[in-house]
Amino acid sequence: VKLGCDITVVTTRKQSEEISFCKTLVFKKLLPENFYFFRLLNEAAFSLQGFMKLKLNRSLSGFDMIIWYSPSIFWGPLVWYLRQKNPSATRLLILRDIFPNWAIELGIIKNGAVSTTLKAIAHLQYQQSERILIQSPGNRIYFEKSKELHEKVEYFPNWLDSKPVALPFDQINSTDLLPKKDKIIIYSGSLGIAQGYEVAEKLIKFCMSSKNYGILFVGRGDHHSKLARSYSATEDVSFVAEVSEQEVRCFYSKCVYGLVLLDPSHRSQNIPGKFISYVRDNLPVIISVNKNNDLRDVVKNNNLGIDLSCCMLDEDYEHLQIKLDGFLKANDGSLHFRKFFERE
């Protein structure tokens, strides 16, 4: 928009209906996503529903650029069709997660006919792109077996608006939602099977045993709901449903650490967007991610926080408290988190 472009967005996100600066075509998910199978059916229909929305709005041609995100892997047929109607348009795929690979690694999908079919659908999507924009450098490895695809890959770091938060914390009336502790760890975003459960639960138990630390979970997901049912009665931990970005950043201003979790069974790379949002707001991080994840070197080499990866918190809570306190003391008032964000 700042460059003077006319934007058309095709999405299932109802919030997008409120966007006034571009044409937004919203279609509905056909089934409630209580089960993985229903979600699969919903996403399988994305291309068809996207085509119908564009057709009804007479918006199938005249594009100079086509950008889409994965997941989902099911946009391939629609992009193929748009490619015929817009042969000179640049086609960019922003690859946030490599699906179905991560689901196979975690055992959600078994190797067999289903996984083979899903990989073929994802490959169709890769073929439609001119550039495959990865958000973690290690994801290049996934494409090494295909010279055609590997040549398309380009490292494209995630991004966020760098503007300061607009609302003072008290304006959102959220002080009562915080744990009753001096030092608060925050986890924001989805907390489901991809992030794992065990480390989150052990950190809750650490906070319950600590005089100083509490933990706040802001977001959604199966594990978010499960933990809330088990621990919402304690004052050491709080659970808040999804809120606006401005409100999340207000929460950040009252916290001392941001938490990043990925299940250790992952073998593929991922640098979650929440990590970038933490460092933007000058918040040190606690990470527990899979072995060899790019994020471990990023945190270590730039002194951005504490890495608990692969140790799964051995419940030596006294040592953990010393470690967390020591990092905060050594980096008190430091702005190098924000400087890292601006540099990257």
Side-chain angles (χ1 to χ4, degrees), residues 59-168:
S59 302
L60 286 167
S61 59
F63 295 121
D64 299 302
M65 181 175 289
I66 302 164
I67 305 172
W68 73 105
Y69 292 83
S70 179
S72 171
I73 61 170
F74 291 95
W75 291 110
L78 176 59
V79 177
W80 177 86
Y81 187 84
L82 291 174
R83 183 178 177 179
Q84 314 311 309
K85 291 286 186 180
N86 305 269
S88 62
T90 303
R91 303 178 309 281
L92 305 176
L93 166 60
I94 300 176
L95 190 62
R96 302 185 75 101
D97 297 309
I98 298 180
F99 185 86
N101 266 49
W102 71 262
I104 295 169
E105 292 165 2
L106 297 186
I108 301 170
I109 298 171
K110 304 298 181 185
N111 275 310
V114 172
S115 63
T116 300
T117 301
L118 291 175
K119 285 181 178 179
I121 292 169
H123 187 79
L124 171 65
Q125 182 165 249
Y126 300 146
Q127 287 181 313
Q128 304 315 310
S129 63
E130 271 181 66
R131 307 296 296 169
I132 300 172
L133 307 178
I134 57 173
Q135 302 198 296
S136 187
N139 281 334
R140 290 183 184 277
I141 297 169
Y142 179 75
F143 294 98
E144 284 181 344
K145 293 179 181 178
S146 170
K147 183 180 179 182
E148 174 203 356
L149 298 182
H150 194 257
E151 289 176 349
K152 295 182 178 184
V153 174
E154 182 177 328
Y155 176 50
F156 185 73
N158 209 329
W159 70 95
L160 280 176
D161 193 339
S162 60
K163 292 178 182 176
V165 63
L167 294 174

Side-chain angles (χ1 to χ4, degrees), residues 17-32:
E17 292 169 339
E18 301 170 8
I19 296 175
S20 58
F21 53 77
C22 63
K23 182 190 293 185
T24 309
L25 309 178
V26 180
F27 62 86
K28 295 180 180 179
K29 295 178 180 179
L30 304 177
L31 297 166

